[in-house]
Amino acid sequence: MPSAPTTERRPPLPVDIPGFAAAKDRVANGLQPFPDGIAWLQAHHYRTVLHVRAPGEDDSAARRQFERRDLRYLSLEASPRR
């Protein structure tokens, strides 16, 4: 007798994280979230955010937003120049 198909229960996609795309369970990418998107990440048990930014770009406001929600904030400077 064939087993019943399993359905993986994934949370609904957030509307306040532009370009959000899940790679696997609790690993995703997207553009900088709006405040409700940050709350969504916390509510869905994401723990760390990696902000890829231009060299010299001030990320202090973004850092504060994420850290207020108890999310670990990592920042990586990257330049398209060679």
Side-chain angles (χ1 to χ4, degrees):
M1 172 182 254
S3 61
T6 59
T7 58
E8 190 175 321
R9 303 236 354 144
R10 289 186 177 227
L13 296 178
V15 295
D16 289 338
I17 304 175
F20 181 90
K24 62 182 191 175
D25 187 36
R26 293 190 324 222
V27 175
N29 70 318
L31 300 176
Q32 184 165 346
F34 295 101
D36 286 345
I38 297 171
W40 185 93
L41 291 170
Q42 180 189 32
H44 289 87
H45 309 288
Y46 285 83
R47 298 182 302 202
T48 303
V49 171
L50 173 62
H51 181 190
V52 180
R53 62 188 177 88
E57 180 183 337
D58 181 15
D59 67 341
S60 58
R63 177 180 298 278
R64 281 191 304 274
Q65 285 184 325
F66 288 102
E67 288 178 347
R68 259 188 247 135
R69 291 283 187 171
D70 295 321
L71 293 166
R72 184 174 173 206
Y73 181 87
L74 303 175
S75 181
L76 173 67
E77 288 187 347
S79 175
R81 297 182 190 170
R82 292 181 181 210

